PDB file of all heavy atoms in Angstrom:
ATOM      1  N   THR A  22     -22.483 -13.728 -16.262  1.00 90.00           N
ATOM      2  CA  THR A  22     -23.867 -13.638 -16.740  1.00 90.00           C
ATOM      3  C   THR A  22     -24.420 -15.040 -17.017  1.00 90.00           C
ATOM      4  O   THR A  22     -25.525 -15.380 -16.615  1.00 90.00           O
ATOM      5  CB  THR A  22     -23.932 -12.776 -18.021  1.00 90.00           C
ATOM      6  OG1 THR A  22     -23.436 -11.478 -17.721  1.00 90.00           O
ATOM      7  CG2 THR A  22     -25.352 -12.658 -18.537  1.00 90.00           C
ATOM      8  N   ARG A  23     -23.605 -15.861 -17.678  1.00 92.00           N
ATOM      9  CA  ARG A  23     -24.031 -17.233 -17.983  1.00 92.00           C
ATOM     10  C   ARG A  23     -24.375 -17.985 -16.681  1.00 92.00           C
ATOM     11  O   ARG A  23     -25.426 -18.600 -16.569  1.00 92.00           O
ATOM     12  CB  ARG A  23     -22.917 -17.977 -18.728  1.00 92.00           C
ATOM     13  CG  ARG A  23     -23.310 -19.370 -19.186  1.00 92.00           C
ATOM     14  CD  ARG A  23     -22.114 -20.152 -19.697  1.00 92.00           C
ATOM     15  NE  ARG A  23     -21.215 -20.571 -18.635  1.00 92.00           N
ATOM     16  CZ  ARG A  23     -21.424 -21.611 -17.825  1.00 92.00           C
ATOM     17  NH1 ARG A  23     -22.507 -22.344 -17.958  1.00 92.00           N
ATOM     18  NH2 ARG A  23     -20.562 -21.913 -16.885  1.00 92.00           N
ATOM     19  N   LEU A  26     -27.599 -16.978 -15.123  1.00 92.00           N
ATOM     20  CA  LEU A  26     -28.841 -17.400 -15.793  1.00 92.00           C
ATOM     21  C   LEU A  26     -29.182 -18.862 -15.517  1.00 92.00           C
ATOM     22  O   LEU A  26     -30.263 -19.328 -15.890  1.00 92.00           O
ATOM     23  CB  LEU A  26     -28.711 -17.179 -17.310  1.00 92.00           C
ATOM     24  CG  LEU A  26     -28.605 -15.713 -17.752  1.00 92.00           C
ATOM     25  CD1 LEU A  26     -28.362 -15.631 -19.254  1.00 92.00           C
ATOM     26  CD2 LEU A  26     -29.871 -14.948 -17.385  1.00 92.00           C
ATOM     27  N   LEU A  29     -32.567 -20.604 -14.710  1.00 93.00           N
ATOM     28  CA  LEU A  29     -33.627 -20.741 -15.726  1.00 93.00           C
ATOM     29  C   LEU A  29     -33.626 -22.124 -16.388  1.00 93.00           C
ATOM     30  O   LEU A  29     -34.586 -22.479 -17.079  1.00 93.00           O
ATOM     31  CB  LEU A  29     -33.447 -19.670 -16.812  1.00 93.00           C
ATOM     32  CG  LEU A  29     -33.543 -18.211 -16.345  1.00 93.00           C
ATOM     33  CD1 LEU A  29     -33.222 -17.263 -17.497  1.00 93.00           C
ATOM     34  CD2 LEU A  29     -34.952 -17.930 -15.818  1.00 93.00           C
ATOM     35  N   ILE A  71     -23.019 -16.252 -25.340  1.00 97.00           N
ATOM     36  CA  ILE A  71     -23.727 -17.189 -24.472  1.00 97.00           C
ATOM     37  C   ILE A  71     -24.600 -18.048 -25.383  1.00 97.00           C
ATOM     38  O   ILE A  71     -25.306 -17.523 -26.259  1.00 97.00           O
ATOM     39  CB  ILE A  71     -24.604 -16.440 -23.446  1.00 97.00           C
ATOM     40  CG1 ILE A  71     -23.714 -15.685 -22.447  1.00 97.00           C
ATOM     41  CG2 ILE A  71     -25.544 -17.398 -22.707  1.00 97.00           C
ATOM     42  CD1 ILE A  71     -24.471 -14.772 -21.510  1.00 97.00           C
ATOM     43  N   ILE A  82     -26.364 -15.376 -27.833  1.00 98.00           N
ATOM     44  CA  ILE A  82     -26.530 -14.032 -27.257  1.00 98.00           C
ATOM     45  C   ILE A  82     -25.170 -13.379 -27.056  1.00 98.00           C
ATOM     46  O   ILE A  82     -24.253 -13.982 -26.512  1.00 98.00           O
ATOM     47  CB  ILE A  82     -27.258 -14.115 -25.887  1.00 98.00           C
ATOM     48  CG1 ILE A  82     -28.597 -14.838 -26.035  1.00 98.00           C
ATOM     49  CG2 ILE A  82     -27.455 -12.718 -25.292  1.00 98.00           C
ATOM     50  CD1 ILE A  82     -29.268 -15.182 -24.709  1.00 98.00           C
ATOM     51  N   HIS A  83     -25.065 -12.131 -27.503  1.00 96.00           N
ATOM     52  CA  HIS A  83     -23.836 -11.351 -27.292  1.00 96.00           C
ATOM     53  C   HIS A  83     -24.239 -10.016 -26.672  1.00 96.00           C
ATOM     54  O   HIS A  83     -25.230  -9.427 -27.066  1.00 96.00           O
ATOM     55  CB  HIS A  83     -23.127 -11.134 -28.629  1.00 96.00           C
ATOM     56  CG  HIS A  83     -21.705 -10.682 -28.489  1.00 96.00           C
ATOM     57  ND1 HIS A  83     -21.364  -9.399 -28.141  1.00 96.00           N
ATOM     58  CD2 HIS A  83     -20.531 -11.347 -28.633  1.00 96.00           C
ATOM     59  CE1 HIS A  83     -20.039  -9.295 -28.088  1.00 96.00           C
ATOM     60  NE2 HIS A  83     -19.506 -10.470 -28.377  1.00 96.00           N
ATOM     61  N   LEU A  84     -23.453  -9.558 -25.708  1.00 93.00           N
ATOM     62  CA  LEU A  84     -23.817  -8.331 -24.996  1.00 93.00           C
ATOM     63  C   LEU A  84     -23.286  -7.060 -25.666  1.00 93.00           C
ATOM     64  O   LEU A  84     -23.575  -5.952 -25.210  1.00 93.00           O
ATOM     65  CB  LEU A  84     -23.320  -8.397 -23.545  1.00 93.00           C
ATOM     66  CG  LEU A  84     -23.889  -9.554 -22.710  1.00 93.00           C
ATOM     67  CD1 LEU A  84     -23.214  -9.607 -21.346  1.00 93.00           C
ATOM     68  CD2 LEU A  84     -25.402  -9.449 -22.552  1.00 93.00           C
ATOM     69  N   GLY A  88     -24.455  -4.184 -23.459  1.00 90.00           N
ATOM     70  CA  GLY A  88     -25.600  -5.013 -23.111  1.00 90.00           C
ATOM     71  C   GLY A  88     -25.498  -5.611 -21.718  1.00 90.00           C
ATOM     72  O   GLY A  88     -24.410  -5.760 -21.173  1.00 90.00           O
ATOM     73  N   ASN A  89     -26.658  -5.915 -21.148  1.00 88.00           N
ATOM     74  CA  ASN A  89     -26.662  -6.713 -19.926  1.00 88.00           C
ATOM     75  C   ASN A  89     -27.969  -7.473 -19.835  1.00 88.00           C
ATOM     76  O   ASN A  89     -28.977  -7.102 -20.427  1.00 88.00           O
ATOM     77  CB  ASN A  89     -26.367  -5.869 -18.680  1.00 88.00           C
ATOM     78  CG  ASN A  89     -27.542  -5.034 -18.271  1.00 88.00           C
ATOM     79  OD1 ASN A  89     -28.478  -5.514 -17.647  1.00 88.00           O
ATOM     80  ND2 ASN A  89     -27.527  -3.763 -18.651  1.00 88.00           N
ATOM     81  N   ILE A  90     -27.896  -8.551 -19.099  1.00 91.00           N
ATOM     82  CA  ILE A  90     -29.070  -9.400 -18.935  1.00 91.00           C
ATOM     83  C   ILE A  90     -29.321  -9.528 -17.450  1.00 91.00           C
ATOM     84  O   ILE A  90     -28.386  -9.667 -16.667  1.00 91.00           O
ATOM     85  CB  ILE A  90     -28.810 -10.802 -19.518  1.00 91.00           C
ATOM     86  CG1 ILE A  90     -28.606 -10.722 -21.029  1.00 91.00           C
ATOM     87  CG2 ILE A  90     -29.962 -11.749 -19.201  1.00 91.00           C
ATOM     88  CD1 ILE A  90     -28.187 -12.041 -21.648  1.00 91.00           C
ATOM     89  N   CYS A  91     -30.591  -9.460 -17.064  1.00 87.00           N
ATOM     90  CA  CYS A  91     -30.891  -9.769 -15.673  1.00 87.00           C
ATOM     91  C   CYS A  91     -32.097 -10.691 -15.655  1.00 87.00           C
ATOM     92  O   CYS A  91     -32.771 -10.878 -16.667  1.00 87.00           O
ATOM     93  CB  CYS A  91     -31.160  -8.496 -14.871  1.00 87.00           C
ATOM     94  SG  CYS A  91     -32.683  -7.692 -15.336  1.00 87.00           S
ATOM     95  N   ILE A  92     -32.343 -11.293 -14.509  1.00 88.00           N
ATOM     96  CA  ILE A  92     -33.581 -12.032 -14.337  1.00 88.00           C
ATOM     97  C   ILE A  92     -34.507 -11.110 -13.560  1.00 88.00           C
ATOM     98  O   ILE A  92     -34.206 -10.733 -12.428  1.00 88.00           O
ATOM     99  CB  ILE A  92     -33.376 -13.357 -13.578  1.00 88.00           C
ATOM    100  CG1 ILE A  92     -32.418 -14.267 -14.374  1.00 88.00           C
ATOM    101  CG2 ILE A  92     -34.719 -14.058 -13.381  1.00 88.00           C
ATOM    102  CD1 ILE A  92     -32.205 -15.629 -13.757  1.00 88.00           C
ATOM    103  N   ALA A  93     -35.578 -10.714 -14.212  1.00 87.00           N
ATOM    104  CA  ALA A  93     -36.499  -9.751 -13.605  1.00 87.00           C
ATOM    105  C   ALA A  93     -37.753 -10.470 -13.148  1.00 87.00           C
ATOM    106  O   ALA A  93     -38.113 -11.517 -13.677  1.00 87.00           O
ATOM    107  CB  ALA A  93     -36.861  -8.681 -14.632  1.00 87.00           C
ATOM    108  N   ILE A 116     -38.174 -13.741 -15.731  1.00 92.00           N
ATOM    109  CA  ILE A 116     -37.992 -13.061 -17.015  1.00 92.00           C
ATOM    110  C   ILE A 116     -36.513 -12.822 -17.303  1.00 92.00           C
ATOM    111  O   ILE A 116     -35.834 -12.155 -16.530  1.00 92.00           O
ATOM    112  CB  ILE A 116     -38.744 -11.706 -17.030  1.00 92.00           C
ATOM    113  CG1 ILE A 116     -40.221 -11.917 -16.651  1.00 92.00           C
ATOM    114  CG2 ILE A 116     -38.609 -11.016 -18.379  1.00 92.00           C
ATOM    115  CD1 ILE A 116     -40.994 -10.628 -16.470  1.00 92.00           C
ATOM    116  N   LEU A 117     -36.063 -13.374 -18.401  1.00 94.00           N
ATOM    117  CA  LEU A 117     -34.713 -13.039 -18.877  1.00 94.00           C
ATOM    118  C   LEU A 117     -34.869 -11.735 -19.647  1.00 94.00           C
ATOM    119  O   LEU A 117     -35.555 -11.685 -20.663  1.00 94.00           O
ATOM    120  CB  LEU A 117     -34.179 -14.153 -19.790  1.00 94.00           C
ATOM    121  CG  LEU A 117     -32.767 -14.007 -20.378  1.00 94.00           C
ATOM    122  CD1 LEU A 117     -32.255 -15.379 -20.815  1.00 94.00           C
ATOM    123  CD2 LEU A 117     -32.697 -13.045 -21.548  1.00 94.00           C
ATOM    124  N   ARG A 118     -34.280 -10.673 -19.098  1.00 94.00           N
ATOM    125  CA  ARG A 118     -34.468  -9.351 -19.709  1.00 94.00           C
ATOM    126  C   ARG A 118     -33.159  -8.860 -20.319  1.00 94.00           C
ATOM    127  O   ARG A 118     -32.155  -8.752 -19.628  1.00 94.00           O
ATOM    128  CB  ARG A 118     -34.991  -8.378 -18.663  1.00 94.00           C
ATOM    129  CG  ARG A 118     -35.311  -7.001 -19.207  1.00 94.00           C
ATOM    130  CD  ARG A 118     -36.235  -6.241 -18.291  1.00 94.00           C
ATOM    131  NE  ARG A 118     -37.606  -6.760 -18.361  1.00 94.00           N
ATOM    132  CZ  ARG A 118     -38.587  -6.387 -17.543  1.00 94.00           C
ATOM    133  NH1 ARG A 118     -38.349  -5.517 -16.590  1.00 94.00           N
ATOM    134  NH2 ARG A 118     -39.793  -6.899 -17.670  1.00 94.00           N
ATOM    135  N   TYR A 119     -33.211  -8.586 -21.606  1.00 95.00           N
ATOM    136  CA  TYR A 119     -32.026  -8.133 -22.345  1.00 95.00           C
ATOM    137  C   TYR A 119     -32.108  -6.628 -22.536  1.00 95.00           C
ATOM    138  O   TYR A 119     -33.049  -6.114 -23.144  1.00 95.00           O
ATOM    139  CB  TYR A 119     -31.969  -8.843 -23.703  1.00 95.00           C
ATOM    140  CG  TYR A 119     -30.753  -8.481 -24.522  1.00 95.00           C
ATOM    141  CD1 TYR A 119     -29.593  -9.238 -24.441  1.00 95.00           C
ATOM    142  CD2 TYR A 119     -30.756  -7.369 -25.361  1.00 95.00           C
ATOM    143  CE1 TYR A 119     -28.466  -8.905 -25.177  1.00 95.00           C
ATOM    144  CE2 TYR A 119     -29.636  -7.023 -26.101  1.00 95.00           C
ATOM    145  CZ  TYR A 119     -28.498  -7.791 -26.000  1.00 95.00           C
ATOM    146  OH  TYR A 119     -27.380  -7.454 -26.728  1.00 95.00           O
ATOM    147  N   ASN A 120     -31.123  -5.926 -21.980  1.00 93.00           N
ATOM    148  CA  ASN A 120     -31.079  -4.467 -22.068  1.00 93.00           C
ATOM    149  C   ASN A 120     -29.779  -4.081 -22.782  1.00 93.00           C
ATOM    150  O   ASN A 120     -28.728  -4.638 -22.466  1.00 93.00           O
ATOM    151  CB  ASN A 120     -31.113  -3.898 -20.640  1.00 93.00           C
ATOM    152  CG  ASN A 120     -30.976  -2.387 -20.597  1.00 93.00           C
ATOM    153  OD1 ASN A 120     -29.947  -1.840 -20.951  1.00 93.00           O
ATOM    154  ND2 ASN A 120     -32.015  -1.718 -20.153  1.00 93.00           N
ATOM    155  N   VAL A 128     -29.124 -11.146 -30.370  1.00 98.00           N
ATOM    156  CA  VAL A 128     -29.849 -12.332 -29.896  1.00 98.00           C
ATOM    157  C   VAL A 128     -30.280 -13.055 -31.170  1.00 98.00           C
ATOM    158  O   VAL A 128     -31.189 -12.614 -31.870  1.00 98.00           O
ATOM    159  CB  VAL A 128     -31.076 -11.938 -29.029  1.00 98.00           C
ATOM    160  CG1 VAL A 128     -31.856 -13.169 -28.615  1.00 98.00           C
ATOM    161  CG2 VAL A 128     -30.631 -11.151 -27.786  1.00 98.00           C
ATOM    162  N   PHE A 235     -26.497  -9.828  -9.084  1.00 49.00           N
ATOM    163  CA  PHE A 235     -26.865  -9.888 -10.493  1.00 49.00           C
ATOM    164  C   PHE A 235     -28.377  -9.850 -10.662  1.00 49.00           C
ATOM    165  O   PHE A 235     -28.897  -9.339 -11.629  1.00 49.00           O
ATOM    166  CB  PHE A 235     -26.283 -11.179 -11.068  1.00 49.00           C
ATOM    167  CG  PHE A 235     -26.592 -11.400 -12.513  1.00 49.00           C
ATOM    168  CD1 PHE A 235     -25.913 -10.700 -13.480  1.00 49.00           C
ATOM    169  CD2 PHE A 235     -27.540 -12.319 -12.895  1.00 49.00           C
ATOM    170  CE1 PHE A 235     -26.188 -10.915 -14.810  1.00 49.00           C
ATOM    171  CE2 PHE A 235     -27.816 -12.534 -14.220  1.00 49.00           C
ATOM    172  CZ  PHE A 235     -27.139 -11.835 -15.185  1.00 49.00           C
ATOM    173  N   PHE A 236     -29.072 -10.408  -9.666  1.00 46.00           N
ATOM    174  CA  PHE A 236     -30.537 -10.472  -9.756  1.00 46.00           C
ATOM    175  C   PHE A 236     -31.208  -9.378  -8.946  1.00 46.00           C
ATOM    176  O   PHE A 236     -32.390  -9.408  -8.699  1.00 46.00           O
ATOM    177  CB  PHE A 236     -31.022 -11.840  -9.282  1.00 46.00           C
ATOM    178  CG  PHE A 236     -30.338 -12.922 -10.026  1.00 46.00           C
ATOM    179  CD1 PHE A 236     -29.327 -13.650  -9.448  1.00 46.00           C
ATOM    180  CD2 PHE A 236     -30.666 -13.156 -11.335  1.00 46.00           C
ATOM    181  CE1 PHE A 236     -28.678 -14.618 -10.164  1.00 46.00           C
ATOM    182  CE2 PHE A 236     -30.002 -14.129 -12.057  1.00 46.00           C
ATOM    183  CZ  PHE A 236     -29.009 -14.863 -11.474  1.00 46.00           C
ATOM    184  N   GLY A 240     -31.705  -4.182 -11.076  1.00 48.00           N
ATOM    185  CA  GLY A 240     -31.086  -4.589 -12.328  1.00 48.00           C
ATOM    186  C   GLY A 240     -29.591  -4.339 -12.344  1.00 48.00           C
ATOM    187  O   GLY A 240     -28.950  -4.418 -13.373  1.00 48.00           O
ATOM    188  N   LYS A 241     -29.065  -4.030 -11.179  1.00 49.00           N
ATOM    189  CA  LYS A 241     -27.603  -3.874 -11.122  1.00 49.00           C
ATOM    190  C   LYS A 241     -27.016  -5.251 -11.314  1.00 49.00           C
ATOM    191  O   LYS A 241     -27.442  -6.205 -10.677  1.00 49.00           O
ATOM    192  CB  LYS A 241     -27.184  -3.363  -9.744  1.00 49.00           C
ATOM    193  CG  LYS A 241     -27.402  -1.885  -9.579  1.00 49.00           C
ATOM    194  CD  LYS A 241     -26.894  -1.457  -8.210  1.00 49.00           C
ATOM    195  CE  LYS A 241     -27.387  -0.079  -7.884  1.00 49.00           C
ATOM    196  NZ  LYS A 241     -27.621   0.080  -6.456  1.00 49.00           N
ATOM    197  N   ASN A 242     -26.027  -5.340 -12.172  1.00 47.00           N
ATOM    198  CA  ASN A 242     -25.460  -6.662 -12.350  1.00 47.00           C
ATOM    199  C   ASN A 242     -24.230  -6.829 -11.483  1.00 47.00           C
ATOM    200  O   ASN A 242     -23.685  -5.881 -10.954  1.00 47.00           O
ATOM    201  CB  ASN A 242     -25.164  -6.929 -13.821  1.00 47.00           C
ATOM    202  CG  ASN A 242     -24.738  -5.683 -14.513  1.00 47.00           C
ATOM    203  OD1 ASN A 242     -23.961  -4.944 -13.959  1.00 47.00           O
ATOM    204  ND2 ASN A 242     -25.254  -5.433 -15.697  1.00 47.00           N
ATOM    205  N   GLY A 243     -23.830  -8.040 -11.335  1.00 44.00           N
ATOM    206  CA  GLY A 243     -22.758  -8.356 -10.393  1.00 44.00           C
ATOM    207  C   GLY A 243     -21.366  -8.128 -10.941  1.00 44.00           C
ATOM    208  O   GLY A 243     -20.430  -8.760 -10.488  1.00 44.00           O
ATOM    209  N   TYR A 244     -21.238  -7.273 -11.908  1.00 48.00           N
ATOM    210  CA  TYR A 244     -19.899  -7.024 -12.443  1.00 48.00           C
ATOM    211  C   TYR A 244     -19.034  -6.474 -11.314  1.00 48.00           C
ATOM    212  O   TYR A 244     -19.288  -5.419 -10.777  1.00 48.00           O
ATOM    213  CB  TYR A 244     -19.912  -6.035 -13.601  1.00 48.00           C
ATOM    214  CG  TYR A 244     -20.691  -6.503 -14.801  1.00 48.00           C
ATOM    215  CD1 TYR A 244     -20.968  -5.637 -15.843  1.00 48.00           C
ATOM    216  CD2 TYR A 244     -21.161  -7.799 -14.888  1.00 48.00           C
ATOM    217  CE1 TYR A 244     -21.681  -6.059 -16.950  1.00 48.00           C
ATOM    218  CE2 TYR A 244     -21.869  -8.235 -15.984  1.00 48.00           C
ATOM    219  CZ  TYR A 244     -22.135  -7.355 -17.010  1.00 48.00           C
ATOM    220  OH  TYR A 244     -22.852  -7.768 -18.103  1.00 48.00           O
TER     221      TYR A 244
END
Side-chain angles (χ1 to χ4, degrees):
T22 301
R23 185 190 72 79
L26 294 175
L29 298 175
I71 292 172
I82 304 170
H83 196 284
L84 300 174
N89 75 79
I90 295 173
C91 69
I92 299 183
I116 306 173
L117 181 160
R118 184 161 286 171
Y119 182 92
N120 176 294
V128 177
F235 179 76
F236 306 104
K241 281 183 194 147
N242 34 43
Y244 298 170

